[in-house]
Each structure stands twice: as C-alpha cells, then as structure tokens.
Amino acid sequence: QISSITSMTLLFVLPFLIYASLAVNPDGAMLTRFRNIANYDVVLWWITPYKDEDIRFFGHLTRNGGMTSFTSYVGHEFFWARPRQEHERGKRRQFFKVVPDKILYVHMDNNDPGSDDVVAQTQEELQFLHEYYHTYRRHWLSSYERPPPQLPFIDLMQNDDSAMKTNYKWVESDSYFWTCSPSSSQQKGAKKNMKSASSRLGRFFSGGNGGGDRDSSCQDTNGGELLRFLIEELYPENPRIYKIDNFINEFEAQHIMQLSKDS
C-alpha cells in the first residue's frame, strides 16, 4: 500500500518538478534579452496571432551591441529586419522562437559583423548562459560579467607588519556597550507586541548612536571616548573570513544566549 501511495505521489509531483526545472513560469513567461552584433541597425518584430495585426514592433537595436529586454513567452516567434524593410517578406531574416533554455537572442551577420570585442564577448556570454542553465537548471538573471561582490564597509589596509600578517581596518563608533537592561521607566508607551527592551540592544558601526531614546545609565560611555573595533581579514578567498575584536561585552553575550534559550 505504501508503495502504491508513493507511486501515485510521484505521478502527480514529477511533472511539476520537470516543469519547474525549466526555470519558466507556469504560463511560459520568461525575461528575455535581445542583442544586435551586426554592423548596422536592425528592428525586432514579433509575429502575432492576430488577424488584423500580423507583426508588432518590439525594439530598434542599434549597430554593434544595441540591446532590449522584456518579458516574452515560450513559443513566441520573432524575426529581424533592417529599418523600414519589415513588410518586404524577402527582407525578413533569422526567424526564431523563444525556448525554455535560452534567454539571450542575438542578431548577427557574418558578412557585416560588429566589432571583434562585441562579437567575442557575446559569444562568450552565450556559452556561459548555456552552460549555467544546463548545469543548474535555472537561468542566470544577473548582468554578465557580474563584478565580484564587495563589502563596502571593509576597505582594508595592507599590512606590512610581519607580526600581523592579516589585512585590517580600525572602525570607530559611539554606540557604546550595554551593561544592563533599560529600566522599566524607559519602556512606558511601548507597543504591547514589542519585545522586551533587552531584545533591542544593538550596536552599529555607523556614526551616531542610531538607537533613538536610550537609557544611557545602562551603557558604558567609555568616558565620552569613541569605541574602536579592529576588523581583521583572516582568509581572503571564498568564503572570506573576518575577525572583529571587542565586538560585544560579557553582558551582551549573555543576553544573546538567553534569547536563544527563550525562543
């Protein structure tokens, strides 16, 4: 009986999984991009299913890399034509349909190509998109080539000190350490569904306390001096590993552990 139930479950679920793996919405909608790498302008036309409108304009792409993008649907058919030549059927060229495994469609002309750089980059991108989709069964939707992610607040200094081989950065903040929970008098007027005041303890690397009205009696203001935090890069490759000294004190550490026990 269990075996039959499992078989029936697979019967219903498997088609959905196969369709989902195509990275296409249930209605066939896809975000598609179109590029012209010929050395002249072209116009993109959609072949419509309507009797009173056989073709529809979908973009004028300039020579040598002009692009457009929009949501299309699997099975929609397009063609390219030079400007004002779309009604001459013999001048229509490179008919194509939108397919589930492709999001970039290119107009090219080997007899009159665009610049070598544009053609080479586009061919490289097409190969990348093809391999990415067939590896992960989903489309690459970011720009290409996407720059490596940056952590803007960590602009580390090169360290020439042999005793400290890691790159580092000092950060100053006036968001001081908490030493106790804010008094109940500070909680008047708080919303009933708000967590306890102790759950709002926080520290920000940006300047200013950023915390609104806080009970300064529950903070160590460090004699009015800014706190200094040392950020060290322990491992520069992927995944990057950073160490931040003096980030929280004992009271705050206990507070975090207590929250985890209460949840």
Side-chain angles (χ1 to χ4, degrees):
Q1 185 177 2
I2 294 178
S3 177
S4 62
I5 294 175
T6 302
S7 299
M8 291 180 64
T9 302
L10 287 175
L11 184 63
F12 285 102
V13 173
L14 190 57
F16 171 78
L17 294 177
I18 293 174
Y19 197 87
S21 70
L22 297 176
V24 178
N25 288 328
D27 60 355
M30 295 176 59
L31 178 62
T32 49
R33 294 183 288 140
F34 305 84
R35 183 180 302 160
N36 174 29
I37 59 172
N39 196 34
Y40 51 85
D41 291 9
V42 292
V43 179
L44 177 65
W45 293 91
W46 172 44
I47 301 177
T48 81
Y50 312 122
K51 293 182 179 180
D52 58 343
E53 183 188 21
D54 59 335
I55 61 175
R56 181 179 296 177
F57 171 86
F58 259 85
H60 183 128
L61 280 64
T62 56
R63 59 186 288 273
N64 201 35
M67 288 191 64
T68 188
S69 63
F70 49 82
T71 299
S72 187
Y73 294 84
V74 172
H76 274 195
E77 188 173 6
F78 296 86
F79 68 88
W80 306 96
R82 292 194 184 226
R84 295 176 297 279
Q85 293 184 353
E86 65 275 6
H87 295 295
E88 301 180 48
R89 295 187 177 273
K91 299 295 181 65
R92 298 178 181 181
R93 52 185 303 158
Q94 298 183 21
F95 290 80
F96 64 92
K97 288 184 179 182
V98 172
V99 292
D101 63 347
K102 189 175 183 179
I103 58 173
L104 176 59
Y105 298 84
V106 176
H107 171 263
M108 60 185 70
D109 187 342
N110 293 330
N111 296 320
D112 195 5
S115 68
D116 292 342
D117 289 343
V118 169
V119 172
Q121 181 180 357
T122 299
Q123 296 292 357
E124 181 181 295
E125 183 176 355
L126 286 169
Q127 182 65 26
F128 168 81
L129 294 174
H130 175 81
E131 293 177 356
Y132 186 91
Y133 177 82
H134 288 281
T135 299
Y136 301 104
R137 305 305 297 175
R138 64 186 63 190
H139 288 293
W140 175 266
L141 298 180
S142 180
S143 59
Y144 180 87
E145 297 180 339
R146 185 176 69 176
Q150 300 291 329
L151 300 177
F153 71 96
I154 302 183
D155 184 14
L156 299 177
M157 296 181 292
Q158 299 294 322
N159 190 2
D160 298 326
D161 185 357
S162 59
M164 183 187 292
K165 297 182 180 180
T166 58
N167 295 326
Y168 68 97
K169 177 181 182 179
W170 284 99
V171 176
E172 293 184 337
S173 173
D174 62 358
S175 293
Y176 299 111
F177 289 113
W178 291 90
T179 57
C180 64
S181 298
S183 63
S184 59
S185 63
Q186 297 294 322
Q187 301 180 45
K188 292 181 179 180
K191 293 181 179 179
K192 292 182 179 180
N193 62 350
M194 185 181 247
K195 293 183 178 179
S196 66
S198 63
S199 69
R200 292 185 280 113
L201 306 184
R203 179 164 301 104
F204 309 94
F205 279 139
S206 59
N209 62 27
D213 295 329
R214 291 181 178 175
D215 187 353
S216 59
S217 65
C218 276
Q219 286 187 289
D220 179 0
T221 58
N222 196 36
E225 298 293 327
L226 295 177
L227 297 177
R228 300 190 74 211
F229 299 93
L230 176 63
I231 302 177
E232 296 178 81
E233 183 181 59
L234 302 184
Y235 188 70
E237 303 299 330
N238 186 23
R240 294 181 177 180
I241 300 175
Y242 297 91
K243 175 185 175 184
I244 304 177
D245 285 332
N246 200 33
F247 183 63
I248 60 176
N249 63 7
E250 180 64 24
F251 173 79
E252 293 171 345
Q254 293 296 329
H255 164 75
I256 293 173
M257 289 188 287
Q258 186 60 47
L259 283 179
S260 67
K261 294 177 182 178
D262 294 341
S263 61

mmCIF file of all heavy atoms in Angstrom, residues 77-100:
data_model
loop_
_atom_site.group_PDB
_atom_site.id
_atom_site.type_symbol
_atom_site.label_atom_id
_atom_site.label_comp_id
_atom_site.label_asym_id
_atom_site.label_seq_id
_atom_site.Cartn_x
_atom_site.Cartn_y
_atom_site.Cartn_z
ATOM 1 N N GLU A 77 7.227 33.842 -31.585
ATOM 2 C CA GLU A 77 8.125 33.858 -32.739
ATOM 3 C C GLU A 77 8.461 35.294 -33.137
ATOM 4 O O GLU A 77 7.587 36.163 -33.171
ATOM 5 C CB GLU A 77 7.498 33.114 -33.929
ATOM 6 C CG GLU A 77 8.454 32.939 -35.097
ATOM 7 C CD GLU A 77 7.883 32.051 -36.195
ATOM 8 O OE1 GLU A 77 6.699 31.681 -36.076
ATOM 9 O OE2 GLU A 77 8.617 31.735 -37.142
ATOM 10 N N PHE A 78 9.734 35.523 -33.445
ATOM 11 C CA PHE A 78 10.230 36.838 -33.813
ATOM 12 C C PHE A 78 11.055 36.736 -35.092
ATOM 13 O O PHE A 78 11.442 35.655 -35.528
ATOM 14 C CB PHE A 78 11.116 37.410 -32.691
ATOM 15 C CG PHE A 78 10.400 37.657 -31.398
ATOM 16 C CD1 PHE A 78 10.250 36.637 -30.461
ATOM 17 C CD2 PHE A 78 9.892 38.912 -31.091
ATOM 18 C CE1 PHE A 78 9.607 36.865 -29.255
ATOM 19 C CE2 PHE A 78 9.244 39.146 -29.889
ATOM 20 C CZ PHE A 78 9.100 38.129 -28.972
ATOM 21 N N PHE A 79 11.356 37.903 -35.656
ATOM 22 C CA PHE A 79 12.334 37.980 -36.742
ATOM 23 C C PHE A 79 12.989 39.350 -36.701
ATOM 24 O O PHE A 79 12.510 40.285 -36.057
ATOM 25 C CB PHE A 79 11.690 37.719 -38.111
ATOM 26 C CG PHE A 79 10.746 38.789 -38.574
ATOM 27 C CD1 PHE A 79 11.191 39.905 -39.300
ATOM 28 C CD2 PHE A 79 9.384 38.694 -38.297
ATOM 29 C CE1 PHE A 79 10.307 40.885 -39.715
ATOM 30 C CE2 PHE A 79 8.500 39.676 -38.715
ATOM 31 C CZ PHE A 79 8.955 40.784 -39.428
ATOM 32 N N TRP A 80 14.101 39.474 -37.419
ATOM 33 C CA TRP A 80 14.828 40.731 -37.528
ATOM 34 C C TRP A 80 14.637 41.300 -38.937
ATOM 35 O O TRP A 80 14.455 40.565 -39.894
ATOM 36 C CB TRP A 80 16.323 40.522 -37.289
ATOM 37 C CG TRP A 80 16.681 39.844 -36.010
ATOM 38 C CD1 TRP A 80 16.933 38.517 -35.835
ATOM 39 C CD2 TRP A 80 16.854 40.458 -34.727
ATOM 40 N NE1 TRP A 80 17.255 38.247 -34.535
ATOM 41 C CE2 TRP A 80 17.215 39.431 -33.817
ATOM 42 C CE3 TRP A 80 16.742 41.770 -34.254
ATOM 43 C CZ2 TRP A 80 17.458 39.673 -32.482
ATOM 44 C CZ3 TRP A 80 16.999 42.014 -32.919
ATOM 45 C CH2 TRP A 80 17.347 40.982 -32.041
ATOM 46 N N ALA A 81 14.722 42.607 -39.036
ATOM 47 C CA ALA A 81 14.690 43.263 -40.346
ATOM 48 C C ALA A 81 15.377 44.613 -40.223
ATOM 49 O O ALA A 81 15.371 45.230 -39.144
ATOM 50 C CB ALA A 81 13.264 43.438 -40.850
ATOM 51 N N ARG A 82 15.971 45.056 -41.303
ATOM 52 C CA ARG A 82 16.524 46.405 -41.292
ATOM 53 C C ARG A 82 15.377 47.409 -41.184
ATOM 54 O O ARG A 82 14.231 47.095 -41.549
ATOM 55 C CB ARG A 82 17.328 46.659 -42.558
ATOM 56 C CG ARG A 82 18.616 45.826 -42.624
ATOM 57 C CD ARG A 82 19.527 46.354 -43.694
ATOM 58 N NE ARG A 82 20.721 45.554 -43.866
ATOM 59 C CZ ARG A 82 21.951 46.040 -43.964
ATOM 60 N NH1 ARG A 82 22.143 47.355 -43.914
ATOM 61 N NH2 ARG A 82 22.992 45.243 -44.155
ATOM 62 N N PRO A 83 15.652 48.604 -40.684
ATOM 63 C CA PRO A 83 14.584 49.602 -40.529
ATOM 64 C C PRO A 83 13.816 49.834 -41.836
ATOM 65 O O PRO A 83 14.401 49.941 -42.911
ATOM 66 C CB PRO A 83 15.353 50.862 -40.104
ATOM 67 C CG PRO A 83 16.573 50.331 -39.407
ATOM 68 C CD PRO A 83 16.943 49.085 -40.162
ATOM 69 N N ARG A 84 12.482 49.827 -41.719
ATOM 70 C CA ARG A 84 11.542 50.099 -42.820
ATOM 71 C C ARG A 84 11.561 49.013 -43.897
ATOM 72 O O ARG A 84 11.092 49.232 -45.015
ATOM 73 C CB ARG A 84 11.814 51.474 -43.452
ATOM 74 C CG ARG A 84 11.568 52.640 -42.482
ATOM 75 C CD ARG A 84 11.936 53.957 -43.097
ATOM 76 N NE ARG A 84 13.363 54.028 -43.408
ATOM 77 C CZ ARG A 84 14.311 54.309 -42.506
ATOM 78 N NH1 ARG A 84 13.984 54.565 -41.256
ATOM 79 N NH2 ARG A 84 15.575 54.346 -42.860
ATOM 80 N N GLN A 85 12.071 47.822 -43.583
ATOM 81 C CA GLN A 85 12.054 46.724 -44.547
ATOM 82 C C GLN A 85 11.234 45.544 -44.045
ATOM 83 O O GLN A 85 11.204 44.488 -44.681
ATOM 84 C CB GLN A 85 13.483 46.258 -44.859
ATOM 85 C CG GLN A 85 14.326 47.285 -45.601
ATOM 86 C CD GLN A 85 15.691 46.747 -45.980
ATOM 87 O OE1 GLN A 85 16.082 45.645 -45.580
ATOM 88 N NE2 GLN A 85 16.436 47.524 -46.761
ATOM 89 N N GLU A 86 10.537 45.707 -42.923
ATOM 90 C CA GLU A 86 9.836 44.583 -42.303
ATOM 91 C C GLU A 86 8.666 44.073 -43.132
ATOM 92 O O GLU A 86 8.273 42.914 -43.005
ATOM 93 C CB GLU A 86 9.346 44.976 -40.902
ATOM 94 C CG GLU A 86 8.310 46.066 -40.876
ATOM 95 C CD GLU A 86 8.893 47.460 -40.896
ATOM 96 O OE1 GLU A 86 10.134 47.593 -41.043
ATOM 97 O OE2 GLU A 86 8.115 48.424 -40.761
ATOM 98 N N HIS A 87 8.090 44.917 -43.987
ATOM 99 C CA HIS A 87 6.943 44.480 -44.769
ATOM 100 C C HIS A 87 7.353 43.791 -46.073
ATOM 101 O O HIS A 87 6.501 43.241 -46.768
ATOM 102 C CB HIS A 87 6.028 45.670 -45.064
ATOM 103 C CG HIS A 87 5.394 46.253 -43.833
ATOM 104 N ND1 HIS A 87 4.489 45.551 -43.068
ATOM 105 C CD2 HIS A 87 5.567 47.455 -43.216
ATOM 106 C CE1 HIS A 87 4.105 46.295 -42.034
ATOM 107 N NE2 HIS A 87 4.751 47.456 -42.095
ATOM 108 N N GLU A 88 8.628 43.810 -46.382
ATOM 109 C CA GLU A 88 9.132 43.054 -47.532
ATOM 110 C C GLU A 88 9.541 41.674 -47.020
ATOM 111 O O GLU A 88 10.591 41.525 -46.392
ATOM 112 C CB GLU A 88 10.322 43.779 -48.162
ATOM 113 C CG GLU A 88 10.013 45.181 -48.650
ATOM 114 C CD GLU A 88 11.237 45.842 -49.262
ATOM 115 O OE1 GLU A 88 11.911 45.181 -50.095
ATOM 116 O OE2 GLU A 88 11.536 46.997 -48.906
ATOM 117 N N ARG A 89 8.707 40.695 -47.289
ATOM 118 C CA ARG A 89 8.925 39.380 -46.695
ATOM 119 C C ARG A 89 10.295 38.806 -47.042
ATOM 120 O O ARG A 89 10.878 38.064 -46.262
ATOM 121 C CB ARG A 89 7.814 38.416 -47.109
ATOM 122 C CG ARG A 89 6.441 38.828 -46.558
ATOM 123 C CD ARG A 89 5.376 37.791 -46.837
ATOM 124 N NE ARG A 89 4.114 38.176 -46.239
ATOM 125 C CZ ARG A 89 3.749 37.893 -44.984
ATOM 126 N NH1 ARG A 89 4.578 37.213 -44.215
ATOM 127 N NH2 ARG A 89 2.568 38.281 -44.524
ATOM 128 N N GLY A 90 10.799 39.145 -48.212
ATOM 129 C CA GLY A 90 12.123 38.640 -48.574
ATOM 130 C C GLY A 90 13.247 39.265 -47.784
ATOM 131 O O GLY A 90 14.374 38.755 -47.785
ATOM 132 N N LYS A 91 12.964 40.387 -47.088
ATOM 133 C CA LYS A 91 13.988 41.072 -46.293
ATOM 134 C C LYS A 91 13.960 40.662 -44.821
ATOM 135 O O LYS A 91 14.827 41.076 -44.064
ATOM 136 C CB LYS A 91 13.788 42.586 -46.410
ATOM 137 C CG LYS A 91 13.922 43.136 -47.826
ATOM 138 C CD LYS A 91 15.348 42.954 -48.349
ATOM 139 C CE LYS A 91 15.516 43.517 -49.747
ATOM 140 N NZ LYS A 91 15.338 44.975 -49.817
ATOM 141 N N ARG A 92 12.956 39.904 -44.441
ATOM 142 C CA ARG A 92 12.907 39.414 -43.069
ATOM 143 C C ARG A 92 13.966 38.327 -42.897
ATOM 144 O O ARG A 92 14.157 37.485 -43.767
ATOM 145 C CB ARG A 92 11.524 38.862 -42.742
ATOM 146 C CG ARG A 92 10.421 39.917 -42.828
ATOM 147 C CD ARG A 92 9.058 39.308 -42.536
ATOM 148 N NE ARG A 92 7.995 40.301 -42.642
ATOM 149 C CZ ARG A 92 6.711 40.054 -42.423
ATOM 150 N NH1 ARG A 92 6.326 38.822 -42.082
ATOM 151 N NH2 ARG A 92 5.812 41.022 -42.542
ATOM 152 N N ARG A 93 14.626 38.319 -41.743
ATOM 153 C CA ARG A 93 15.742 37.384 -41.583
ATOM 154 C C ARG A 93 15.795 36.808 -40.172
ATOM 155 O O ARG A 93 15.264 37.386 -39.218
ATOM 156 C CB ARG A 93 17.065 38.095 -41.893
ATOM 157 C CG ARG A 93 17.261 39.396 -41.135
ATOM 158 C CD ARG A 93 18.531 40.104 -41.576
ATOM 159 N NE ARG A 93 19.682 39.242 -41.414
ATOM 160 C CZ ARG A 93 20.816 39.387 -42.071
ATOM 161 N NH1 ARG A 93 20.947 40.351 -42.963
ATOM 162 N NH2 ARG A 93 21.840 38.582 -41.855
ATOM 163 N N GLN A 94 16.438 35.672 -40.077
ATOM 164 C CA GLN A 94 16.727 34.999 -38.805
ATOM 165 C C GLN A 94 15.481 34.846 -37.930
ATOM 166 O O GLN A 94 15.421 35.325 -36.806
ATOM 167 C CB GLN A 94 17.825 35.745 -38.045
ATOM 168 C CG GLN A 94 19.160 35.793 -38.787
ATOM 169 C CD GLN A 94 20.254 36.471 -37.995
ATOM 170 O OE1 GLN A 94 20.180 36.581 -36.775
ATOM 171 N NE2 GLN A 94 21.292 36.926 -38.685
ATOM 172 N N PHE A 95 14.475 34.152 -38.446
ATOM 173 C CA PHE A 95 13.291 33.841 -37.650
ATOM 174 C C PHE A 95 13.699 32.938 -36.482
ATOM 175 O O PHE A 95 14.542 32.046 -36.630
ATOM 176 C CB PHE A 95 12.244 33.131 -38.509
ATOM 177 C CG PHE A 95 11.598 34.015 -39.533
ATOM 178 C CD1 PHE A 95 12.241 34.303 -40.735
ATOM 179 C CD2 PHE A 95 10.343 34.572 -39.305
ATOM 180 C CE1 PHE A 95 11.645 35.113 -41.682
ATOM 181 C CE2 PHE A 95 9.738 35.384 -40.249
ATOM 182 C CZ PHE A 95 10.389 35.660 -41.441
ATOM 183 N N PHE A 96 13.095 33.162 -35.331
ATOM 184 C CA PHE A 96 13.399 32.309 -34.177
ATOM 185 C C PHE A 96 12.233 32.319 -33.215
ATOM 186 O O PHE A 96 11.403 33.239 -33.219
ATOM 187 C CB PHE A 96 14.672 32.778 -33.463
ATOM 188 C CG PHE A 96 14.566 34.152 -32.855
ATOM 189 C CD1 PHE A 96 14.158 34.334 -31.532
ATOM 190 C CD2 PHE A 96 14.866 35.284 -33.610
ATOM 191 C CE1 PHE A 96 14.062 35.589 -30.972
ATOM 192 C CE2 PHE A 96 14.769 36.560 -33.052
ATOM 193 C CZ PHE A 96 14.372 36.712 -31.728
ATOM 194 N N LYS A 97 12.156 31.282 -32.373
ATOM 195 C CA LYS A 97 11.143 31.175 -31.339
ATOM 196 C C LYS A 97 11.806 31.207 -29.965
ATOM 197 O O LYS A 97 12.945 30.747 -29.792
ATOM 198 C CB LYS A 97 10.342 29.881 -31.487
ATOM 199 C CG LYS A 97 9.392 29.864 -32.675
ATOM 200 C CD LYS A 97 8.567 28.583 -32.689
ATOM 201 C CE LYS A 97 7.579 28.569 -33.862
ATOM 202 N NZ LYS A 97 6.746 27.343 -33.858
ATOM 203 N N VAL A 98 11.092 31.731 -28.994
ATOM 204 C CA VAL A 98 11.560 31.708 -27.616
ATOM 205 C C VAL A 98 11.456 30.276 -27.092
ATOM 206 O O VAL A 98 10.412 29.633 -27.226
ATOM 207 C CB VAL A 98 10.733 32.661 -26.735
ATOM 208 C CG1 VAL A 98 11.086 32.502 -25.257
ATOM 209 C CG2 VAL A 98 10.947 34.098 -27.185
ATOM 210 N N VAL A 99 12.537 29.788 -26.513
ATOM 211 C CA VAL A 99 12.584 28.420 -25.996
ATOM 212 C C VAL A 99 12.917 28.455 -24.508
ATOM 213 O O VAL A 99 13.490 29.435 -24.017
ATOM 214 C CB VAL A 99 13.626 27.575 -26.768
ATOM 215 C CG1 VAL A 99 13.171 27.351 -28.198
ATOM 216 C CG2 VAL A 99 15.000 28.248 -26.743
ATOM 217 N N PRO A 100 12.572 27.421 -23.760
ATOM 218 C CA PRO A 100 12.741 27.468 -22.302
ATOM 219 C C PRO A 100 14.178 27.596 -21.827
ATOM 220 O O PRO A 100 14.416 28.134 -20.751
ATOM 221 C CB PRO A 100 12.139 26.126 -21.835
ATOM 222 C CG PRO A 100 11.236 25.702 -22.933
ATOM 223 C CD PRO A 100 11.865 26.194 -24.198
#
